[in-house]
């Protein structure tokens, strides 16, 4: 990769993990003339933003199959579109599939959304534009909290203070009566691993509404070739800025001298000195790399307590023919959610927490090949299904059960689908954790960046999805951590 | 005929009686209206089988703040509290004993609720802000205990408990009789509103506490009206001017304190279309979570609690939790939400006659059983005789598992299902705590964000009782706070 001076002490910062956040941090620091080295344990860059192949002729994005939280300033600052990032779809509509055929279609067209909600409830149809306006307003108000690297705890607006303690179910109940709509919105708010009954699950919906993709608030986009294109574009931008990226370099330990970070030791035994380390691992894993006691035992214990309660899984299907989903009226280039009732969702969450797989599993799926035809041969399709909530452990030895459950549900909406499956690949929560690192603990959506990014060890900062309010592909924490890091090294 | 009073209090429960005492002491001519024939509300004790007496709805109330207890001179009026300093959890084959005073978490909770009580009392004595109640922004001051609104009980216990068995035990203690999932965030707030282990059990049952309070009120010169419902409130636009009784009697009052729960206060005392729209919306959005069922057991002999199981007879005086298990609690909550009676409802029992021998004939015993997560509305219809019997046998089977031989000694069982509580006490959905204990319905947000004090959007109407901020936290305190607000407003001339 880039030829850079490799004398001891040559680096200003080390970054663990070449995912979107790690690369964003690297690019940001390199731009400010800091010498940066990115250490990636795997042999390829991108982390969760990866395109995997299914059989010979199919490929599909793994885990993070859609982009909805990408930091607009990362895109513009590093001119990612010049580095090859292209959106195949900029504003994917959300479709709630229903067994009774009255599918809910929520897209940018408000009138169409109102019409489709009206099939379920007239009152909800009237409330929807008001709700969306209020949600988007709250989202915009909260941007200063979620988007800026302000080191101080900003006072929360009064409306958010109320939302902070209300459960999503109670909040939605106060707006809507139809189960279809509530379940659909609850799925979007479940990314952070909360049950809709948890106090403080409502801000997760606001968090989604505060995001902006290609200039549209609350939009969901699909990158041509999958999110791996994004990682590749960031990689090129980071290299152009002068950052060095080394793959196959697993950090075995972090070195601490006199209480501050002094470098890292790789599994090869090589020691690299640097006064700053930005880690994409989660808080517990990052602290575990430091010498025992360095981070304070209390912090360590706290980080270890913050285990996620639930996880998600992904199923990739390669199909030689895709039967129409939910009848002919629904466009294929949409995001489909199969969650008919809010109660099913709540029950699935409760069973996942108890380590069981629920009878009815809520999931989201897209057909990536409908956005980007290059992912599958002509006339054939790939389908990517994200299933959540699932138990963190115990899905691996029930693979078949999980698989048949999901395929059976898909079959209900697209009859005959199961007969067309050419290849299938199920990534259980265990597989995902093994491949991309463990997910973050329960979300503290309203915590300030300062508390998220910094650790108890000076010089060690977090820049991974764990430090985000909700672990999505955004690059934001990379940018914010870089800003914190720059403030740390004067010059 | 119109009778004129300065103040009218609806409901002669603990809060109503306390409010009436405070009002009478401030030289306000006060009338207390109670729909049943005697004072007390949930503070009741009755004979449920010849010779056997028990308090049907609860054995203990939330703590009575010391100042109030002494100011009303309740001890001299006959309220002797037998405190319960311990609690025991029994599993087949193992047990755990908790000294309540040695639990740091419970101590923290007690300190926090104390601070909340002071905070509400402070706010009540202050003049209401000038701007309209609906445009007022949230007060910037944070509430004591607010940090717990985003914590799960299970998480908090896992961090703090010393012994693995303490975790389910403490959870059972905090959630006795409630419908709640300890794994959901916000459930930590249940610790602030103790269901058991609060005040202690009054000798003679809760009824004797009610008598003491009523006696204190009478000696202050409060007028009582028993046996008649308040049919509606007299009001002139949003200014409440009195109450109408079911027999047509009109009572003119400068101010009214209601100790009914929020829904009943607004939805039964006003016509729906007379309420300002935002009030109607918020009242209807308030969630109740009634989930308590009780069994009153008359036993011909006390159950044998072997010495190995009980570290001293003293243990039998506190609450006894039958095989508490947090997963089962979460499952029971899920069943409650679906309107089914849980397979394994959380069960706690009290050997009330061990604390107070007057509650059972000599040599015999009275036990009260509290079940949590029992739905008010069953998905398959009403609470029929068969369903009550099924609940009874389900509960007795589980008690039999850990206290063998109890079934053989039964003389009589009375089942009290959530609808019975609603019928007897007028508490919507049989919710003894006047509304779900959730992050958005507690502390400064109870009953809703811009009406956290006792003053309601209807001028001259004050809310005490279970749905007010102090409702589930303390006994009598909500009534005292509402009376404080009323007296302050009257003195400042705001009730003209």
């Amino acid at each position: 990769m880039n030829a850079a001076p490799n004398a001891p002490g040559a680096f200003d910062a080390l970054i663990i993990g070449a995912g979107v956040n790690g690369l964003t941090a690297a690019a940001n620091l390199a731009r400010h003339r800091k010498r940066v080295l990115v250490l990636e344990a795997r042999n390829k860059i991108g982390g969760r933003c990866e395109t995997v192949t299914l059989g010979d002729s199919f490929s599909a994005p793994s885990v993070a199959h859609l982009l909805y939280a990408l930091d607009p300033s990362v895109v513009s600052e590093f001119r990612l579109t010049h580095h090859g990032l292209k959106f195949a779809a900029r504003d994917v509509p959300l479709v709630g599939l229903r067994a009774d055929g009255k599918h809910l279609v929520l897209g940018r067209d408000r009138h169409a959304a109102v019409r489709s909600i009206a099939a379920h409830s007239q009152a909800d149809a009237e409330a929807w534009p008001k709700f969306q306006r209020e949600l988007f307003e709250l989202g915009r108000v909260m941007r200063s909290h979620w988007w800026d690297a302000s080191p101080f705890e900003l006072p929360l607006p009064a409306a958010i203070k109320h939302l902070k303690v209300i459960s999503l179910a109670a909040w939605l109940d106060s707006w809507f009566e139809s189960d279809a709509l509530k379940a659909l919105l609850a799925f979007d708010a479940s990314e952070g691993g909360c049950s809709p009954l948890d106090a403080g699950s409502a801000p997760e919906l606001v968090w989604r509404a505060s995001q902006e993709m290609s200039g549209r608030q609350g939009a969901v986009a699909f990158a041509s070739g999958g999110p791996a294109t994004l990682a590749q574009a960031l990689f090129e931008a980071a290299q152009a800025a002068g950052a060095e990226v080394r793959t196959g370099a697993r950090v075995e330990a972090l070195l601490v001298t006199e209480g501050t970070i002094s470098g890292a030791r790789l599994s090869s035994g090589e020691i690299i000195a640097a006064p700053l380390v930005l880690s994409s691992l989660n808080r517990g894993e990052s602290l575990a790399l430091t010498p025992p006691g360095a981070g304070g035992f209390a912090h360590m214990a706290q980080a270890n307590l913050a285990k996620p309660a639930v996880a998600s899984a992904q199923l990739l299907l390669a199909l030689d023919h895709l039967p129409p989903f939910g009848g002919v009226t629904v466009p294929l280039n949409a995001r489909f959610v199969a969650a008919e009732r809010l109660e099913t969702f709540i029950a699935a969450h409760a069973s996942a927490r108890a380590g069981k797989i629920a009878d009815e599993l809520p999931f989201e799926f897209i057909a990536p090949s409908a956005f980007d035809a290059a992912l599958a041969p002509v006339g054939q399709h790939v389908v990517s299904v994200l299933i959540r909530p699932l138990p963190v452990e115990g899905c691996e030895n029930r693979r078949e059960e999980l698989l048949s459950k999901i395929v059976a549900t898909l079959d209900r909406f697209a009859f005959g689908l199961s007969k067309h499956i050419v290849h299938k690949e199920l990534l259980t929560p265990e597989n995902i954790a093994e491949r991309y690192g463990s997910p973050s603990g329960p979300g503290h959506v309203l915590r300030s960046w300062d508390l998220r990014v910094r650790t108890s060890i000076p010089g060690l900062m977090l820049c991974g999805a764990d430090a985000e309010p909700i672990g999505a592909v955004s690059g934001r924490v990379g940018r914010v951590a870089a800003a914190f890091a720059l403030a740390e090294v004067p010059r | 005929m119109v009778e004129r009073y300065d103040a009218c209090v609806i409901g002669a429960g603990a809060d109503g009686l306390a409010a009436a005492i405070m009002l009478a002491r401030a030289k306000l001519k006060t009338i207390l209206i109670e729909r049943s024939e005697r004072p007390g509300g949930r503070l009741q004790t009755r004979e449920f089988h010849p010779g056997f007496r028990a308090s049907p709805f609860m054995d203990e109330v939330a703590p009575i703040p010391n100042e109030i207890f002494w100011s009303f001179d309740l001890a001299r009026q006959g309220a002797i509290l037998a405190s319960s300093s311990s609690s025991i959890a029994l599993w087949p084959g193992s047990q755990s004993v908790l000294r309540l005073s040695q639990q740091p978490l419970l101590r923290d909770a007690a300190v926090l609720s104390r601070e909340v009580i002071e905070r509400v009392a402070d706010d009540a004595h202050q003049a209401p802000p000038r701007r309209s109640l609906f445009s007022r922004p949230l007060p910037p001051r944070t509430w004591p205990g607010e940090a717990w609104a985003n914590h799960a009980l299970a998480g908090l216990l896992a961090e703090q408990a010393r012994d693995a068995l303490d975790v389910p035990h403490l959870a059972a203690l905090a959630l006795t009789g409630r419908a709640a999932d300890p794994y959901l965030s916000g459930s930590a707030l249940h610790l602030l509103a103790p269901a058991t282990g609060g005040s202690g059990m009054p000798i003679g049952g809760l009824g004797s506490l009610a008598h003491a309070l009523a006696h204190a009120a009478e000696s202050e010169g409060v007028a009582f009206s028993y046996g008649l419902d308040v049919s509606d409130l007299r009001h002139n636009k949003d200014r409440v001017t009195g109450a109408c009784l079911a027999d047509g009697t009109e009572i003119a009052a400068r101010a009214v304190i209601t100790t009914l729960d929020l829904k009943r206060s607004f939805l039964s005392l006003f016509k729906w279309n007379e309420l300002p729209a935002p009030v109607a919306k918020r009242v209807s959005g308030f969630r109740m979570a009634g989930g308590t069922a009780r069994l009153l057991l008359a036993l011909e002999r006390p159950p044998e609690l072997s010495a190995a199981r009980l570290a001293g007879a003293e243990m039998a005086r506190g609450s006894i939790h039958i095989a508490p298990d947090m997963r089962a609690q979460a499952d029971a909550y899920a069943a409650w939400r679906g309107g089914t009676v849980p397979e394994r409802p959380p069960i706690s029992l009290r050997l009330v006659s061990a604390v107070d021998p007057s509650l059972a004939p000599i040599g015999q015993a009275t036990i009260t059983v509290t079940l949590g997560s029992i739905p008010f509305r069953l998905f398959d219809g009403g609470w029929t005789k068969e369903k009550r019997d099924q609940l009874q046998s389900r509960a007795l089977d589980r008690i039999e598992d850990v206290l063998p031989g109890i079934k053989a000694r039964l003389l009589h069982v009375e089942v009290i299902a959530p609808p019975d509580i609603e019928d007897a006490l007028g508490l919507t959905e049989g919710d003894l705590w006047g509304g779900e204990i959730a992050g958005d319905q507690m502390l400064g947000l109870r009953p809703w964000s811009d009406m956290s004090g006792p003053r309601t959007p209807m001028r001259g109407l004050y809310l005490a009782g279970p749905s007010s901020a102090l409702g589930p936290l303390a006994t009598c305190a909500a009534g005292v706070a509402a009376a404080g607000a009323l007296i302050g407003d009257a003195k400042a001339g705001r009730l003209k």
Side-chain angles (χ1 to χ4, degrees), chain B residues 227-297:
Chain B
L228 283 174
D229 254 326
V230 174
S231 59
D232 56 338
L233 288 180
R234 286 162 41 119
H235 61 111
N236 184 2
K237 289 199 181 136
D238 63 348
R239 172 75 170 91
V240 171
T241 58
C244 301
L245 298 189
D247 66 349
T249 317
E250 292 202 12
I251 293 171
R254 285 160 69 202
V256 176
I257 292 179
T258 162
T259 65
L260 311 178
D261 66 57
L262 185 78
K263 294 226 177 214
R264 216 172 157 93
S265 291
F266 282 94
L267 303 184
S268 79
L269 300 182
F270 294 94
K271 291 186 184 71
W272 180 259
N273 54 5
E274 287 172 350
L275 284 174
V279 176
K281 181 166 181 270
R282 288 192 148 137
V283 170
S284 61
F286 194 74
R287 306 186 302 282
M288 309 305 273
T292 315
R294 295 259 293 175
L295 301 184
L296 310 179
L297 311 182

Side-chain angles (χ1 to χ4, degrees), chain B residues 335-341 375-383 387:
Chain B
W336 174 84
R337 280 190 70 86
T340 46
V341 175
F376 171 79
R377 267 183 222 92
L378 294 172
F379 80 102
D380 54 353
W383 272 95
K387 285 178 190 153

Side-chain angles (χ1 to χ4, degrees), chain B residues 294-364:
Chain B
R294 295 259 293 175
L295 301 184
L296 310 179
L297 311 182
L299 271 68
E300 64 179 348
R301 261 180 306 137
E304 270 151 34
L305 299 164
S306 66
R309 301 219 71 173
L310 290 180
E314 200 247 333
M315 288 308 160
R317 296 160 65 94
S319 52
I320 301 171
H321 303 279
I322 304 295
D325 169 6
M326 298 219 282
R327 289 269 172 239
Q329 184 106 36
D331 290 346
Y333 175 72
W336 174 84
R337 280 190 70 86
T340 46
V341 175
E343 280 299 318
R344 299 187 58 208
I347 301 184
S348 302
L349 50 89
R350 283 302 283 268
L351 286 164
V352 288
S353 58
V355 183
D356 180 359
S358 71
L359 296 176
I362 294 170
Q364 303 184 325

Side-chain angles (χ1 to χ4, degrees), chain A residues 76-410:
Chain A
S76 59
E77 221 171 290
F78 298 107
R79 297 154 53 95
L80 294 185
T81 44
H82 292 253
H83 286 292
L85 176 66
K86 214 172 91 192
F87 290 113
R90 288 166 185 277
D91 196 356
V92 178
L94 171 61
V95 177
L97 285 178
R98 315 230 352 128
D100 58 7
K102 290 197 276 183
H103 310 304
L104 269 176
V105 183
L106 304 182
R108 197 54 50 174
D109 183 349
R110 187 170 288 169
H111 299 287
V114 165
R115 275 197 303 278
S116 111
I117 296 169
H120 295 269
S121 153
Q122 195 54 44
D124 286 1
E126 280 163 28
W128 173 252
K130 284 187 222 150
F131 173 78
Q132 211 188 23
R133 201 156 49 234
E134 187 179 312
L135 181 68
F136 278 13
E137 256 169 41
L138 284 170
R140 286 195 297 275
V141 167
M142 289 303 290
R143 279 182 182 172
S144 58
H145 186 91
W146 282 320
W147 285 27
D148 301 341
S150 151
F152 308 108
E153 186 96 41
L154 291 166
L156 294 176
I160 290 286
K161 257 192 117 175
H162 184 227
L163 275 187
K164 188 180 164 185
V165 290
I166 196 171
S167 69
L168 183 70
W171 193 43
L172 292 179
D173 279 343
S174 73
W175 277 98
F176 304 118
E177 56 181 26
S178 71
D179 256 332
L181 187 54
K182 285 192 268 188
L184 198 54
L185 293 171
F187 186 85
D188 266 1
S190 70
E191 181 92 47
C194 274
S195 156
L197 289 177
D198 270 319
S201 45
E204 305 209 349
L205 201 58
V206 180
W207 180 83
R208 264 194 102 120
S210 76
Q211 306 305 324
E212 183 186 293
M213 288 298 302
S214 33
R216 289 178 164 194
Q217 193 178 357
V220 174
F222 186 84
S224 291
T229 334
L230 167 68
Q232 189 59 35
L234 263 169
F235 172 64
E236 283 169 23
Q239 277 199 322
E244 189 182 335
V245 179
R246 211 190 281 178
T247 52
R250 181 177 292 278
V251 175
E252 202 179 56
L254 291 174
L255 310 176
V256 176
T257 21
E258 290 170 11
T260 59
I261 286 285
S262 61
R265 191 177 72 235
L266 304 187
S267 53
S268 62
E270 187 186 351
I271 288 177
I272 306 171
L276 265 178
V277 171
L278 276 67
S279 165
S280 310
L281 306 174
N282 70 30
R283 188 172 286 264
E285 287 170 343
S286 303
L287 285 175
L289 291 176
T290 61
F297 289 107
H299 290 278
M300 194 67 215
Q302 229 163 27
N304 283 338
L305 263 180
K307 290 264 161 59
V310 297
S312 51
Q314 190 191 28
L315 172 64
L316 294 171
L317 296 174
L319 305 166
D320 57 12
H321 168 74
L322 185 58
F325 268 108
V328 280
T329 50
V330 181
L332 196 56
N333 53 354
R335 183 159 67 98
F336 302 93
V337 167
E340 297 204 15
R341 292 169 56 237
L342 187 57
E343 286 299 326
T344 338
F345 207 90
I346 291 168
H349 201 278
S351 0
R353 226 176 27 204
K356 289 177 280 196
I357 296 176
D359 294 333
E360 268 186 84
L361 285 168
F363 57 82
E364 166 193 277
F365 63 91
I366 57 168
S369 48
F371 301 112
D372 184 349
L375 294 171
V378 179
Q380 310 190 8
H381 277 289
V382 279
V383 167
S384 163
V385 191
L386 269 191
I387 309 111
R388 64 169 184 250
L390 280 175
V392 182
E393 280 165 6
C395 290
E396 187 56 39
N397 36 23
R398 297 174 68 187
R399 287 185 82 95
E400 287 313 310
E401 182 194 339
L402 189 59
L403 200 73
S404 60
K405 242 179 207 176
I406 300 158
V407 171
T409 317
L410 280 173

Side-chain angles (χ1 to χ4, degrees), chain A residues 11 50 121 159 168 208-209 215 227 247 260 268 353 368 415 428 431 434 453 470 478:
Chain A
F11 293 106
E50 192 184 1
S121 153
L168 183 70
R208 264 194 102 120
T247 52
T260 59
S268 62
R353 226 176 27 204
F415 188 68
T428 57
N431 299 149
E434 192 186 331
V453 167
I470 288 168

